[in-house]
Amino acid sequence: MQLETTPKTMTGEEMIALSKKHTLFEWSAQSKVDPLPVARAKGIYFWTPEGKRFIDFNSQLMCVNIGHGDDRVIRAIQEQAAALAYASPFMATEPRARLGAKLAELAPGDIDVFFFTNGGAEANENAIKLARLTTGRHKILARYRSYHGGTAGSMTLTGDPRRWASEPGIPGVVHVLDPYHGIERGWDSAEQSLAMLTEVIELEGPQTIAAFILETVTGTNGVLVPPDGYLQGVRELCTRHGILMICDEVMAGFGRTGEWFAVDHWKIVPDILTMAKGLTSAYAQLGAVGMRRSIAEHFRDNVFYGGLTYNSHPVACAAALATIQVYQEDHLIENARKMGALMKELLADLERRHPSIGAVRSIGLFGLVELIRNRTTRQPMAPFNGTSDEMIALGKFFRQEGLYTFVRWHTFFTNPPLCITEPQLREALAIVDRGLEITDKAVAQ
Ligand SMILES: Cc1ncc(COP(=O)(O)O)c(C=O)c1O
């Protein structure tokens, strides 16, 4: 029997037309969206229903870290769905129990208690709730160049322009500047940035601040790898003032940077660590808030006022356990490190040869290219929160050549699945190399 949900019955055009007619695409004016129809995927590739192959050079939304179509995860999901698809979060299940214990092994320091959510935004919502309940304080510091999710609180924490339409948002959130100030102005040192933060803490009143939330390595706002000393300094400032440090690793966690968690590069232990995306590599919807023992202790006798129907969803927890096993069996964290070193070299080579490249940054397989149109003023190839003819043309070229990646403002990303091989990485960057001829033409010296 042909079920309505049986895949491969629609053409790409039909998928697009019906999706556009009856569903809303995110962060877009609907008349402007131009979705890619996708029918199947395997490893680093996906295909349209008509069979056009794409290299997934962004792991979809920086989340399919282990690669597409892994049979081990698919089987785990099928088996869990057959045994027990759902149980109330007031019950205990084996996947919940095993995943909590597994994450306690992987997470840094004494982070060994987890609250499971449906994704990253809810993880951050619950992180600030935990911080407020534990400290009895209400303010939350967050950074401007950040994204923390699309729900009310997470949207308020978000510093980038996606926040604007949701303002005024929840009370008590104070934004601070990052060490990075954009392609024209560049970086502050760790010392300068920490001095600014110290001043804000003093002016806001440290006794009013529950937490500082930050992406350990900032994702969509530029793959911003913090200068050495910055995170250690933030840790020290937070400890000194009793402010909880919340690291949002929804994008940076699970091998993306070449370590299980990005904080591992700087050997710091935040008080709260949020995660999603790579936790299941997006095979199922799951986020988590990890907390240190001291925070978990607070809720031994105090109520944790938080809950979700799908908290600790058995199928999602089973998907996460199988995904973690894949990272381990296939040595994907090591591969991210090794291929990351190669990607860094190849990006540096592109930078030397293409005048439109203003900066390249990467850590592990988390990478980004910033494009400029003037080598003296370093004017970006597209304005802040905008686009330009050249960026649109570059995006079209990638698509035509079968390279899928995220093109945002004057930047594009290089975030392949962690299972990528050297020939695949070279093939993808060869397409990038050719595409950059388009933007090079726009450069004034
Ligand atoms: C750093 C960061 N935090 C939070 C989120 C929100 O996660 P979700 O979309 O799963 O709610 C994202 C999503 O891109 C993210 O990159």
Side-chain angles (χ1 to χ4, degrees):
M1 188 181 76
Q2 177 88 29
L3 297 175
E4 255 186 67
T5 49
T6 303
K8 299 191 213 74
T9 60
M10 279 191 180
T11 65
E13 265 180 34
E14 286 168 338
M15 278 183 199
I16 293 171
L18 263 189
S19 299
K20 286 184 73 164
K21 185 167 179 204
H22 293 295
T23 73
L24 213 52
F25 285 86
E26 52 185 65
W27 307 117
S28 306
Q30 303 301 297
S31 63
K32 298 276 189 326
V33 299
D34 184 16
L36 261 177
V38 189
R40 65 193 175 87
K42 190 80 184 167
I44 69 152
Y45 302 109
F46 65 85
W47 287 265
T48 67
E50 283 70 32
K52 182 173 165 73
R53 192 196 80 172
F54 282 84
I55 297 175
D56 187 350
F57 213 41
N58 198 50
S59 308
Q60 293 301 310
L61 211 45
M62 300 87 160
C63 53
V64 187
N65 290 9
I66 63 166
H68 296 275
D70 192 289
D71 291 332
R72 293 160 288 185
V73 183
I74 294 167
R75 220 176 310 120
I77 291 172
Q78 287 170 333
E79 285 169 9
Q80 186 58 48
L84 177 70
Y86 176 74
S88 152
F90 292 102
M91 298 183 180
T93 67
E94 183 167 339
R96 173 186 184 150
R98 288 177 50 217
L99 183 59
K102 187 73 199 172
L103 289 174
E105 272 173 35
L106 300 176
D110 60 346
I111 294 177
D112 73 349
V113 174
F114 298 85
F115 178 72
F116 295 116
T117 65
N118 295 293
E122 284 179 356
N124 289 329
E125 293 284 349
N126 283 284
I128 62 172
K129 184 179 286 184
L130 283 167
R132 285 173 162 169
L133 289 171
T134 315
T135 61
R137 305 172 179 182
H138 76 283
K139 278 185 203 156
I140 309 285
L141 301 183
R143 297 189 302 184
Y144 277 105
R145 292 176 197 273
S146 70
Y147 180 72
H148 294 293
T151 53
S154 298
M155 200 77 273
T156 312
L157 300 172
T158 292
D160 87 17
R162 281 171 281 188
R163 180 191 75 247
W164 299 344
S166 302
E167 288 182 322
I170 66 165
V173 176
V174 176
H175 284 102
V176 300
L177 290 168
D178 306 70
Y180 190 60
H181 299 283
I183 190 70
E184 288 155 293
R185 195 174 139 198
W187 290 87
D188 282 346
S189 66
E191 293 70 28
Q192 287 167 320
S193 202
L194 291 167
M196 178 280 307
L197 189 57
T198 305
E199 190 176 342
V200 172
I201 290 173
E202 191 174 299
L203 293 170
E204 287 293 334
Q207 75 288 354
T208 68
I209 305 171
F212 179 25
I213 183 166
L214 66 166
E215 292 173 72
T216 314
V217 174
T218 302
T220 30
N221 284 279
V223 185
L224 303 175
V225 184
D228 279 337
Y230 176 77
L231 288 170
Q232 294 92 329
V234 169
R235 175 65 279 181
E236 201 278 315
L237 267 175
C238 285
T239 303
R240 190 182 332 148
H241 295 295
I243 296 168
L244 299 182
M245 181 176 184
I246 304 174
C247 284
D248 175 347
E249 297 222 4
V250 168
M251 197 177 280
F254 291 93
R256 177 56 57 200
T257 68
E259 294 284 350
W260 278 103
F261 294 101
V263 288
D264 299 337
H265 288 281
W266 294 276
K267 311 222 170 342
I268 55 136
V269 182
D271 299 293
I272 297 177
L273 182 65
T274 59
M275 59 196 81
K277 297 190 187 267
L279 170 58
T280 59
S281 281
Y283 282 70
Q285 307 88 323
L286 190 70
V289 191
M291 65 203 87
R292 298 180 78 164
R293 263 280 139 208
S294 52
I295 296 172
E297 282 299 317
H298 177 84
F299 297 99
R300 277 175 68 86
D301 298 315
N302 296 290
V303 173
F304 171 58
Y305 282 99
L308 299 157
T309 298
Y310 302 134
N311 160 14
S312 305
H313 195 283
V315 174
C317 289
L321 280 162
T323 301
I324 291 169
Q325 200 173 331
V326 171
Y327 286 115
Q328 291 180 318
E329 273 177 19
D330 295 358
H331 308 288
L332 292 183
I333 314 288
E334 291 84 342
N335 197 55
R337 226 175 280 151
K338 198 166 133 209
M339 289 299 112
L342 175 65
M343 188 168 86
K344 195 178 268 300
E345 262 175 46
L346 296 175
L347 289 176
D349 175 55
L350 290 176
E351 187 180 21
R352 274 191 295 276
R353 292 187 293 103
H354 289 284
S356 59
I357 295 188
V360 293
R361 280 187 294 280
S362 68
I363 178 167
L365 286 171
F366 204 10
L368 171 125
V369 177
E370 287 203 62
L371 298 175
I372 54 174
R373 61 171 71 251
N374 186 311
R375 297 210 57 85
T376 311
T377 63
R378 297 176 68 72
Q379 183 191 352
M381 191 62 73
F384 182 76
N385 197 30
T387 188
S388 64
D389 290 346
E390 295 85 359
M391 293 308 296
I392 292 168
L394 182 65
K396 279 202 176 127
F397 177 84
F398 288 160
R399 188 156 164 169
Q400 174 196 312
E401 296 298 305
L403 182 84
Y404 168 74
T405 194
F406 197 47
V407 179
R408 183 180 195 251
W409 308 353
H410 66 294
T411 71
F412 65 89
F413 290 78
T414 62
N415 301 323
L418 311 186
C419 57
I420 196 165
T421 63
E422 177 169 344
Q424 290 171 335
L425 188 56
R426 287 186 185 276
E427 184 190 350
L429 287 171
I431 299 171
V432 169
D433 192 7
R434 286 189 282 122
L436 288 169
E437 286 168 23
I438 298 169
T439 47
D440 286 348
K441 288 200 192 95
V443 179
Q445 287 308 308

Coordinates of all heavy atoms in Angstrom, one line a residue, residues 391-443:
M391 N 27.3 38.6 -3.6 CA 27.0 37.4 -2.7 C 25.9 36.5 -3.2 O 25.9 35.3 -3.1 CB 26.7 38.0 -1.3 CG 27.8 38.7 -0.6 SD 29.4 37.8 -0.5 CE 29.0 36.3 0.5
I392 N 24.9 37.2 -3.9 CA 23.8 36.4 -4.5 C 24.4 35.5 -5.6 O 24.1 34.3 -5.7 CB 22.6 37.3 -5.0 CG1 22.0 37.9 -3.7 CG2 21.6 36.5 -5.8 CD1 21.0 39.1 -4.1
A393 N 25.2 36.1 -6.4 CA 25.8 35.4 -7.5 C 26.7 34.2 -7.0 O 26.7 33.1 -7.6 CB 26.6 36.3 -8.4
L394 N 27.4 34.5 -6.0 CA 28.3 33.4 -5.4 C 27.4 32.2 -4.9 O 27.7 31.1 -5.2 CB 29.1 34.0 -4.2 CG 30.1 33.0 -3.6 CD1 31.2 32.5 -4.6 CD2 30.7 33.6 -2.3
G395 N 26.3 32.6 -4.2 CA 25.4 31.5 -3.7 C 24.8 30.7 -4.9 O 24.7 29.5 -4.8
K396 N 24.4 31.4 -5.9 CA 23.9 30.7 -7.1 C 24.9 29.8 -7.7 O 24.6 28.7 -8.2 CB 23.5 31.8 -8.2 CG 22.1 32.4 -7.9 CD 21.5 33.0 -9.2 CE 20.1 33.5 -8.8 NZ 19.9 34.9 -9.3
F397 N 26.2 30.3 -7.8 CA 27.2 29.5 -8.4 C 27.4 28.2 -7.6 O 27.5 27.1 -8.1 CB 28.5 30.3 -8.4 CG 29.7 29.5 -8.9 CD1 29.9 29.3 -10.3 CD2 30.6 28.8 -8.1 CE1 31.0 28.6 -10.8 CE2 31.6 28.0 -8.5 CZ 31.8 27.9 -9.9
F398 N 27.5 28.3 -6.2 CA 27.7 27.1 -5.4 C 26.5 26.1 -5.7 O 26.7 24.9 -5.8 CB 27.6 27.5 -3.9 CG 28.9 28.2 -3.4 CD1 28.8 29.0 -2.2 CD2 30.1 28.1 -4.1 CE1 29.9 29.6 -1.8 CE2 31.2 28.8 -3.6 CZ 31.1 29.6 -2.5
R399 N 25.3 26.6 -5.8 CA 24.2 25.8 -6.0 C 24.2 25.1 -7.3 O 24.0 23.9 -7.4 CB 22.9 26.6 -5.8 CG 21.6 25.9 -5.8 CD 20.6 26.7 -5.1 NE 19.3 26.2 -5.4 CZ 18.2 26.6 -4.8 NH1 18.3 27.5 -3.8 NH2 17.0 26.1 -5.0
Q400 N 24.6 25.8 -8.3 CA 24.7 25.3 -9.7 C 25.7 24.2 -9.7 O 25.6 23.2 -10.4 CB 25.0 26.5 -10.6 CG 25.3 26.2 -12.0 CD 26.0 27.5 -12.6 OE1 25.5 28.6 -12.3 NE2 27.1 27.3 -13.2
E401 N 26.8 24.4 -9.0 CA 27.9 23.4 -9.0 C 27.7 22.3 -8.0 O 28.6 21.4 -7.8 CB 29.2 24.1 -8.6 CG 29.6 25.2 -9.6 CD 29.9 24.6 -11.0 OE1 30.7 23.7 -11.1 OE2 29.3 25.1 -12.0
G402 N 26.6 22.2 -7.3 CA 26.3 21.1 -6.4 C 27.0 21.2 -5.1 O 27.4 20.2 -4.5
L403 N 27.3 22.5 -4.6 CA 27.9 22.7 -3.3 C 26.9 23.4 -2.5 O 26.5 24.5 -2.8 CB 29.2 23.5 -3.4 CG 29.9 23.7 -2.0 CD1 30.7 22.5 -1.7 CD2 30.7 24.9 -2.0
Y404 N 26.4 22.7 -1.4 CA 25.5 23.4 -0.5 C 26.2 24.0 0.7 O 26.9 23.3 1.4 CB 24.4 22.4 0.0 CG 23.6 23.1 1.1 CD1 22.7 24.1 0.9 CD2 23.8 22.7 2.5 CE1 22.0 24.7 1.9 CE2 23.2 23.4 3.5 CZ 22.2 24.4 3.2 OH 21.6 25.0 4.2
T405 N 26.1 25.3 0.9 CA 26.6 25.8 2.1 C 25.8 27.1 2.5 O 25.0 27.5 1.7 CB 28.1 26.1 2.1 OG1 28.5 26.4 3.5 CG2 28.5 27.3 1.3
F406 N 26.1 27.6 3.7 CA 25.3 28.7 4.2 C 26.0 30.0 3.8 O 27.2 30.2 4.2 CB 25.3 28.5 5.7 CG 24.2 29.3 6.5 CD1 22.9 29.3 6.1 CD2 24.6 30.0 7.6 CE1 22.0 30.0 6.8 CE2 23.6 30.6 8.4 CZ 22.3 30.6 7.9
V407 N 25.3 30.8 3.0 CA 25.9 32.1 2.6 C 25.1 33.2 3.4 O 23.9 33.3 3.3 CB 25.7 32.4 1.1 CG1 26.3 33.7 0.7 CG2 26.4 31.3 0.3
R408 N 25.8 34.0 4.2 CA 25.1 34.9 5.1 C 25.9 36.3 5.1 O 27.1 36.4 5.3 CB 25.2 34.4 6.6 CG 24.4 35.3 7.5 CD 24.5 34.7 8.9 NE 23.5 35.3 9.8 CZ 23.9 36.1 10.8 NH1 25.2 36.4 11.1 NH2 23.0 36.6 11.6
W409 N 25.1 37.3 4.7 CA 25.7 38.7 4.6 C 26.9 38.6 3.6 O 26.8 38.2 2.5 CB 26.0 39.3 5.9 CG 24.9 39.2 7.0 CD1 23.6 38.9 6.7 CD2 25.0 39.6 8.3 NE1 22.9 39.0 7.9 CE2 23.7 39.4 8.9 CE3 26.0 40.0 9.2 CZ2 23.5 39.7 10.3 CZ3 25.8 40.3 10.5 CH2 24.5 40.1 11.1
H410 N 28.1 38.9 4.2 CA 29.3 38.9 3.3 C 30.2 37.7 3.6 O 31.4 37.7 3.3 CB 30.1 40.2 3.6 CG 30.7 40.2 5.0 ND1 29.9 40.4 6.1 CD2 32.0 40.2 5.4 CE1 30.7 40.3 7.2 NE2 31.9 40.2 6.8
T411 N 29.6 36.7 4.2 CA 30.3 35.5 4.6 C 29.7 34.2 4.1 O 28.6 34.2 3.7 CB 30.4 35.3 6.2 OG1 29.1 34.9 6.6 CG2 30.7 36.6 6.9
F412 N 30.5 33.2 4.0 CA 30.0 31.8 3.8 C 30.7 30.8 4.7 O 31.9 31.1 5.1 CB 30.0 31.4 2.3 CG 31.3 31.3 1.7 CD1 32.0 30.1 1.7 CD2 31.9 32.4 1.1 CE1 33.3 29.9 1.1 CE2 33.2 32.3 0.5 CZ 33.9 31.0 0.5
F413 N 30.1 29.7 4.9 CA 30.6 28.7 5.9 C 31.2 27.5 5.3 O 30.8 27.1 4.1 CB 29.5 28.3 6.8 CG 29.0 29.4 7.8 CD1 28.2 30.4 7.3 CD2 29.4 29.4 9.1 CE1 27.8 31.4 8.2 CE2 29.0 30.4 9.9 CZ 28.2 31.4 9.5
T414 N 32.1 26.9 6.0 CA 32.7 25.6 5.5 C 32.6 24.7 6.7 O 33.5 24.5 7.5 CB 34.2 25.8 5.1 OG1 35.0 26.3 6.2 CG2 34.4 26.8 4.0
N415 N 31.5 24.0 6.8 CA 31.2 23.2 8.0 C 30.7 21.8 7.6 O 29.6 21.4 7.8 CB 30.1 23.8 8.8 CG 30.4 25.1 9.4 OD1 31.5 25.4 9.7 ND2 29.4 26.0 9.4
P416 N 31.6 21.0 6.9 CA 31.1 19.7 6.4 C 30.9 18.7 7.6 O 31.4 18.9 8.7 CB 32.3 19.2 5.6 CG 33.5 19.9 6.2 CD 33.0 21.2 6.7
P417 N 30.2 17.6 7.3 CA 30.1 16.5 8.3 C 31.5 16.0 8.6 O 32.4 16.1 7.8 CB 29.3 15.4 7.5 CG 28.5 16.2 6.5 CD 29.4 17.3 6.1
L418 N 31.6 15.6 9.9 CA 33.0 15.2 10.4 C 33.5 13.9 9.8 O 34.7 13.6 10.0 CB 32.9 15.0 11.9 CG 32.2 16.2 12.7 CD1 32.4 16.0 14.2 CD2 32.7 17.5 12.3
C419 N 32.7 13.3 8.9 CA 33.2 12.0 8.3 C 33.8 12.4 6.9 O 34.2 11.5 6.2 CB 32.0 11.0 8.1 SG 30.7 11.7 7.2
I420 N 34.0 13.6 6.6 CA 34.5 14.0 5.3 C 35.9 13.5 5.1 O 36.7 13.4 6.1 CB 34.4 15.5 5.1 CG1 34.6 15.9 3.6 CG2 35.5 16.3 5.9 CD1 34.2 17.3 3.2
T421 N 36.2 13.1 3.8 CA 37.6 12.6 3.5 C 38.4 13.7 2.8 O 37.8 14.7 2.4 CB 37.5 11.4 2.6 OG1 36.9 11.8 1.3 CG2 36.7 10.2 3.2
E422 N 39.7 13.4 2.7 CA 40.6 14.5 2.1 C 40.1 14.8 0.6 O 40.0 15.9 0.3 CB 42.0 14.0 2.1 CG 42.9 15.0 1.4 CD 44.4 14.8 1.6 OE1 44.8 14.1 2.6 OE2 45.1 15.5 0.9
P423 N 39.9 13.7 -0.2 CA 39.4 14.1 -1.6 C 38.1 14.8 -1.6 O 37.9 15.7 -2.5 CB 39.3 12.7 -2.3 CG 40.0 11.7 -1.4 CD 40.1 12.3 -0.1
Q424 N 37.2 14.5 -0.7 CA 35.9 15.2 -0.7 C 36.1 16.7 -0.3 O 35.5 17.6 -0.9 CB 35.0 14.5 0.3 CG 34.5 13.1 -0.2 CD 33.7 12.4 0.9 OE1 33.9 12.6 2.1 NE2 32.9 11.5 0.5
L425 N 37.0 16.9 0.7 CA 37.3 18.2 1.1 C 37.9 19.1 0.0 O 37.5 20.2 -0.2 CB 38.2 18.2 2.4 CG 38.4 19.5 3.1 CD1 37.1 20.1 3.6 CD2 39.3 19.2 4.4
R426 N 38.8 18.4 -0.7 CA 39.5 19.1 -1.8 C 38.5 19.4 -2.9 O 38.6 20.5 -3.5 CB 40.7 18.3 -2.3 CG 41.9 18.3 -1.4 CD 43.1 17.6 -2.0 NE 44.1 17.5 -1.0 CZ 45.0 18.4 -0.8 NH1 45.0 19.6 -1.4 NH2 46.0 18.2 0.1
E427 N 37.6 18.5 -3.2 CA 36.6 18.7 -4.2 C 35.7 19.9 -3.9 O 35.5 20.8 -4.7 CB 35.8 17.4 -4.4 CG 34.8 17.5 -5.5 CD 33.8 16.3 -5.5 OE1 34.0 15.3 -4.7 OE2 32.8 16.4 -6.2
A428 N 35.3 20.0 -2.6 CA 34.4 21.1 -2.2 C 35.1 22.4 -2.3 O 34.6 23.4 -2.8 CB 33.9 20.8 -0.8
L429 N 36.4 22.4 -1.8 CA 37.1 23.7 -1.8 C 37.5 24.1 -3.2 O 37.8 25.3 -3.5 CB 38.2 23.7 -0.8 CG 37.7 23.8 0.6 CD1 38.8 23.5 1.6 CD2 37.0 25.1 0.9
A430 N 37.6 23.2 -4.1 CA 37.9 23.5 -5.6 C 36.7 24.3 -6.2 O 36.9 25.2 -6.9 CB 38.2 22.2 -6.3
I431 N 35.5 23.9 -5.7 CA 34.3 24.6 -6.2 C 34.3 26.0 -5.6 O 34.1 27.0 -6.3 CB 33.0 23.9 -5.8 CG1 33.0 22.5 -6.5 CG2 31.8 24.7 -6.2 CD1 31.8 21.6 -6.0
V432 N 34.7 26.1 -4.3 CA 34.8 27.4 -3.7 C 35.8 28.3 -4.4 O 35.6 29.5 -4.7 CB 35.2 27.3 -2.2 CG1 35.5 28.6 -1.6 CG2 34.0 26.6 -1.4
D433 N 36.9 27.7 -4.7 CA 38.0 28.4 -5.4 C 37.5 29.0 -6.7 O 37.7 30.2 -7.0 CB 39.1 27.4 -5.7 CG 40.4 28.0 -6.2 OD1 40.5 29.2 -6.1 OD2 41.3 27.2 -6.6
R434 N 36.7 28.3 -7.5 CA 36.2 28.8 -8.8 C 35.2 29.9 -8.5 O 35.1 30.9 -9.2 CB 35.6 27.7 -9.6 CG 36.7 26.8 -10.2 CD 36.2 25.8 -11.2 NE 35.6 24.7 -10.6 CZ 34.3 24.3 -10.8 NH1 33.5 24.9 -11.6 NH2 33.8 23.2 -10.1
G435 N 34.3 29.7 -7.5 CA 33.3 30.7 -7.2 C 33.9 32.0 -6.8 O 33.3 33.1 -7.1
L436 N 35.0 32.0 -6.1 CA 35.6 33.3 -5.6 C 36.0 34.2 -6.8 O 36.2 35.4 -6.6 CB 36.7 33.0 -4.7 CG 36.3 32.4 -3.3 CD1 37.4 31.9 -2.5 CD2 35.5 33.5 -2.5
E437 N 36.1 33.6 -8.0 CA 36.5 34.5 -9.1 C 35.3 35.5 -9.3 O 35.6 36.6 -9.8 CB 36.6 33.6 -10.4 CG 37.9 32.9 -10.4 CD 38.0 31.8 -11.5 OE1 37.3 31.9 -12.5 OE2 38.8 30.8 -11.3
I438 N 34.1 35.2 -9.0 CA 33.0 36.1 -9.1 C 33.2 37.3 -8.2 O 33.1 38.4 -8.6 CB 31.7 35.4 -8.7 CG1 31.4 34.2 -9.7 CG2 30.5 36.4 -8.7 CD1 30.2 33.3 -9.2
T439 N 33.5 37.0 -6.9 CA 33.7 38.1 -5.9 C 35.0 38.9 -6.2 O 35.0 40.1 -5.9 CB 33.6 37.6 -4.5 OG1 34.4 36.4 -4.3 CG2 32.1 37.2 -4.1
D440 N 36.0 38.2 -6.6 CA 37.3 38.9 -6.9 C 37.1 40.0 -7.9 O 37.7 41.1 -7.7 CB 38.3 37.9 -7.5 CG 38.9 36.9 -6.4 OD1 38.7 37.2 -5.2 OD2 39.5 36.0 -6.8
K441 N 36.2 39.8 -8.8 CA 36.0 40.9 -9.9 C 35.5 42.2 -9.3 O 35.6 43.3 -9.9 CB 35.0 40.4 -10.9 CG 35.5 39.3 -11.8 CD 34.7 39.2 -13.1 CE 35.1 37.9 -13.9 NZ 34.2 36.8 -13.6
A442 N 34.9 42.1 -8.1 CA 34.3 43.3 -7.5 C 35.3 44.1 -6.6 O 34.9 45.1 -6.1 CB 33.1 42.9 -6.6
V443 N 36.5 43.6 -6.5 CA 37.4 44.2 -5.5 C 38.2 45.4 -6.1 O 38.8 45.3 -7.1 CB 38.4 43.1 -5.0 CG1 39.4 43.7 -4.0 CG2 37.7 41.9 -4.4

